[in-house]
Short mmCIF file of all heavy atoms in Angstrom, two decimals:
data_model
loop_
_atom_site.label_atom_id
_atom_site.label_comp_id
_atom_site.label_asym_id
_atom_site.label_seq_id
_atom_site.Cartn_x
_atom_site.Cartn_y
_atom_site.Cartn_z
N ASN A 635 -24.47 -2.46 -6.56
CA ASN A 635 -25.65 -1.80 -7.10
C ASN A 635 -26.49 -1.13 -6.02
O ASN A 635 -27.74 -1.28 -5.99
CB ASN A 635 -26.49 -2.85 -7.89
CG ASN A 635 -25.84 -3.25 -9.20
OD1 ASN A 635 -25.02 -2.50 -9.74
ND2 ASN A 635 -26.16 -4.43 -9.65
N ASN A 636 -25.78 -0.47 -5.09
CA ASN A 636 -26.41 0.28 -4.01
C ASN A 636 -27.19 -0.63 -3.01
O ASN A 636 -28.03 -0.16 -2.26
CB ASN A 636 -27.39 1.31 -4.56
CG ASN A 636 -26.66 2.40 -5.33
OD1 ASN A 636 -25.57 2.85 -4.92
ND2 ASN A 636 -27.23 2.81 -6.47
N ILE A 637 -26.88 -1.89 -3.07
CA ILE A 637 -27.47 -2.85 -2.11
C ILE A 637 -26.36 -3.31 -1.17
O ILE A 637 -25.31 -3.82 -1.57
CB ILE A 637 -28.09 -4.10 -2.79
CG1 ILE A 637 -29.25 -3.66 -3.72
CG2 ILE A 637 -28.59 -5.11 -1.76
CD1 ILE A 637 -29.83 -4.76 -4.54
N LYS A 638 -26.60 -3.13 0.16
CA LYS A 638 -25.61 -3.51 1.15
C LYS A 638 -26.03 -4.84 1.79
O LYS A 638 -27.20 -5.03 2.14
CB LYS A 638 -25.51 -2.46 2.25
CG LYS A 638 -24.87 -1.15 1.79
CD LYS A 638 -24.66 -0.20 2.95
CE LYS A 638 -23.91 1.06 2.52
NZ LYS A 638 -23.69 1.97 3.68
N LYS A 639 -25.04 -5.73 1.93
CA LYS A 639 -25.36 -7.07 2.42
C LYS A 639 -24.16 -7.57 3.26
O LYS A 639 -23.02 -7.45 2.86
CB LYS A 639 -25.62 -8.01 1.29
CG LYS A 639 -26.12 -9.39 1.71
CD LYS A 639 -26.42 -10.27 0.50
CE LYS A 639 -26.92 -11.65 0.94
NZ LYS A 639 -27.10 -12.54 -0.21
N PRO A 640 -24.45 -8.14 4.41
CA PRO A 640 -23.37 -8.69 5.23
C PRO A 640 -22.65 -9.81 4.51
O PRO A 640 -23.26 -10.57 3.73
CB PRO A 640 -24.07 -9.22 6.50
CG PRO A 640 -25.40 -8.54 6.54
CD PRO A 640 -25.75 -8.29 5.09
N GLN A 641 -21.34 -9.88 4.75
CA GLN A 641 -20.59 -11.01 4.23
C GLN A 641 -19.46 -11.33 5.19
O GLN A 641 -19.09 -10.49 6.02
CB GLN A 641 -20.05 -10.80 2.79
CG GLN A 641 -18.95 -9.78 2.67
CD GLN A 641 -18.41 -9.66 1.26
OE1 GLN A 641 -18.97 -10.19 0.32
NE2 GLN A 641 -17.31 -8.94 1.11
N LEU A 642 -18.90 -12.54 5.06
CA LEU A 642 -17.79 -12.91 5.88
C LEU A 642 -16.62 -13.32 5.01
O LEU A 642 -16.78 -14.08 4.06
CB LEU A 642 -18.22 -14.10 6.75
CG LEU A 642 -17.20 -14.56 7.78
CD1 LEU A 642 -17.86 -14.79 9.15
CD2 LEU A 642 -16.49 -15.86 7.36
N MET A 643 -15.44 -12.75 5.29
CA MET A 643 -14.22 -13.05 4.54
C MET A 643 -13.55 -14.20 5.28
O MET A 643 -13.00 -14.04 6.38
CB MET A 643 -13.32 -11.84 4.46
CG MET A 643 -14.01 -10.60 3.92
SD MET A 643 -14.80 -10.85 2.31
CE MET A 643 -13.39 -11.15 1.27
N LEU A 644 -13.60 -15.36 4.70
CA LEU A 644 -13.12 -16.60 5.37
C LEU A 644 -11.61 -16.65 5.58
O LEU A 644 -10.85 -16.35 4.65
CB LEU A 644 -13.62 -17.80 4.59
CG LEU A 644 -13.37 -19.18 5.19
CD1 LEU A 644 -14.59 -20.09 4.98
CD2 LEU A 644 -12.12 -19.83 4.67
N LYS A 645 -11.21 -17.03 6.78
CA LYS A 645 -9.79 -17.24 7.07
C LYS A 645 -9.46 -18.69 7.18
O LYS A 645 -8.32 -19.09 6.87
CB LYS A 645 -9.41 -16.49 8.37
CG LYS A 645 -9.60 -14.98 8.33
CD LYS A 645 -8.75 -14.37 7.21
CE LYS A 645 -8.94 -12.89 7.11
NZ LYS A 645 -8.17 -12.29 5.97
N ASP A 646 -10.38 -19.48 7.67
CA ASP A 646 -10.13 -20.93 7.80
C ASP A 646 -11.46 -21.63 8.02
O ASP A 646 -12.43 -21.01 8.48
CB ASP A 646 -9.19 -21.21 8.99
CG ASP A 646 -8.49 -22.58 8.89
OD1 ASP A 646 -8.62 -23.22 7.84
OD2 ASP A 646 -7.85 -22.99 9.85
N LEU A 647 -11.50 -22.91 7.74
CA LEU A 647 -12.73 -23.73 7.98
C LEU A 647 -12.30 -25.13 8.28
O LEU A 647 -11.20 -25.54 8.01
CB LEU A 647 -13.68 -23.67 6.80
CG LEU A 647 -13.29 -24.24 5.41
CD1 LEU A 647 -13.34 -25.73 5.38
CD2 LEU A 647 -14.15 -23.67 4.34
N LYS A 648 -13.23 -25.87 8.87
CA LYS A 648 -12.99 -27.29 9.11
C LYS A 648 -14.33 -28.02 9.13
O LYS A 648 -15.36 -27.44 9.44
CB LYS A 648 -12.22 -27.48 10.42
CG LYS A 648 -12.96 -27.04 11.70
CD LYS A 648 -12.08 -27.27 12.93
CE LYS A 648 -12.75 -26.76 14.20
NZ LYS A 648 -11.91 -26.99 15.39
N VAL A 649 -14.23 -29.28 8.79
CA VAL A 649 -15.37 -30.22 8.86
C VAL A 649 -14.87 -31.39 9.72
O VAL A 649 -13.95 -32.08 9.31
CB VAL A 649 -15.81 -30.70 7.47
CG1 VAL A 649 -16.95 -31.71 7.59
CG2 VAL A 649 -16.28 -29.45 6.62
N ASP A 650 -15.52 -31.62 10.85
CA ASP A 650 -15.02 -32.61 11.81
C ASP A 650 -15.55 -34.03 11.55
O ASP A 650 -15.09 -34.96 12.18
CB ASP A 650 -15.34 -32.16 13.24
CG ASP A 650 -14.48 -31.04 13.71
OD1 ASP A 650 -13.33 -30.96 13.20
OD2 ASP A 650 -14.91 -30.28 14.59
N HIS A 651 -16.54 -34.14 10.65
CA HIS A 651 -17.11 -35.48 10.44
C HIS A 651 -16.60 -36.10 9.14
O HIS A 651 -15.99 -35.43 8.32
CB HIS A 651 -18.65 -35.40 10.42
CG HIS A 651 -19.18 -34.43 9.35
ND1 HIS A 651 -19.17 -34.72 8.03
CD2 HIS A 651 -19.70 -33.21 9.48
CE1 HIS A 651 -19.64 -33.73 7.37
NE2 HIS A 651 -20.00 -32.77 8.21
N LEU A 652 -16.86 -37.40 9.00
CA LEU A 652 -16.50 -38.11 7.76
C LEU A 652 -17.29 -37.46 6.62
O LEU A 652 -18.48 -37.20 6.73
CB LEU A 652 -16.90 -39.58 7.88
CG LEU A 652 -16.72 -40.38 6.60
CD1 LEU A 652 -15.24 -40.70 6.32
CD2 LEU A 652 -17.50 -41.69 6.67
#
Side-chain angles (χ1 to χ4, degrees):
N635 288 336
N636 295 319
I637 298 175
K638 291 185 175 183
K639 188 179 179 185
Q641 70 176 10
L642 185 135
M643 307 306 293
L644 187 140
K645 297 302 178 184
D646 200 10
L647 63 77
K648 63 181 178 181
V649 176
D650 285 334
H651 57 73
L652 174 76

